[in-house]
Amino acid sequence: GAAAAAVWGAVGVCSALGIGPIEMPLANLDYKQVALCDGREPLLPGQKAAFGLYPVCVEVDADIENPSKNTLKDVSVYGFVRDAAAGNSVLANNPDGSTDAGQYAMVKSIPPGRSRISFQFVAAVTEDPKTSPLPKLKFDAVKAVSYPGGDRFKAIDPCELDPLSCADE
């Protein structure tokens, strides 16, 4: 009881001071399909695992509150994103929707206090985005997490995912 409360209180204080991971839930999410993700056409990792799926770049805007006094950089985004009608996950790193352990997006910076942020991710959808609209998406348990030394965690580029695809560059 009291020991657990002391530990959780210390975790909250440490997070607010930027000492440990800082978890921040996202609220009021709006999204839209965009042509490019960070200036590139969207790609799905894993040719065989992604067979029959189409990559779509999704841009999300959300409300967040950074409890620290510092601007947080390179903040990871976790959670569940599903096709609302079909119920399947649209995240390539969580195809069966069983875990939110995989980071699927990154926010470059989050200022102290309340703000509106944007991030992009590649959704794996079953309908060709050139002929069908983006399906309605359902976001659950979406949170941003800033880790101490978070600048060590960078987005993986397509060449790191599939070095053979960049052999000619």
Side-chain angles (χ1 to χ4, degrees):
V7 168
W8 283 114
V11 168
V13 169
C14 289
S15 291
L17 293 173
I19 295 170
I22 301 172
E23 287 192 18
M24 299 158 283
L26 302 182
N28 303 316
L29 283 81
D30 294 313
Y31 64 92
K32 64 183 176 189
Q33 181 177 339
V34 294
L36 303 175
C37 276
D38 292 324
R40 299 181 183 151
E41 292 212 10
L43 296 172
L44 289 175
Q47 299 280 331
K48 290 184 181 181
F51 183 76
L53 298 174
Y54 297 91
V56 175
C57 186
V58 177
E59 185 171 280
V60 179
D61 296 317
D63 293 335
I64 194 165
E65 184 169 355
N66 171 359
S68 80
K69 294 179 177 156
N70 302 315
T71 296
L72 302 174
K73 299 202 179 293
D74 298 323
V75 180
S76 302
V77 178
Y78 297 89
F80 299 94
V81 186
R82 292 183 168 85
D83 178 317
N88 58 294
S89 174
V90 298
L91 299 176
N93 68 343
N94 186 18
D96 64 358
S98 64
T99 179
D100 70 345
Q103 171 187 333
Y104 69 89
M106 186 168 259
V107 180
K108 293 186 191 316
S109 68
I110 302 174
R114 292 184 178 157
S115 62
R116 189 97 174 136
I117 59 166
S118 291
F119 61 89
Q120 296 178 332
F121 72 96
V122 177
V125 298
T126 57
E127 300 290 328
D128 186 344
K130 294 176 183 163
T131 58
S132 300
L134 178 67
K136 183 176 181 189
L137 302 178
K138 185 174 190 290
F139 293 82
D140 289 312
V142 180
K143 63 185 174 188
V145 181
S146 176
Y147 294 97
D151 58 347
R152 287 179 265 166
F153 298 97
K154 300 288 183 190
I156 297 174
D157 69 42
C159 292
E160 290 174 301
L161 288 173
D162 184 8
L164 296 177
S165 71
C166 300
D168 295 336
E169 292 181 10

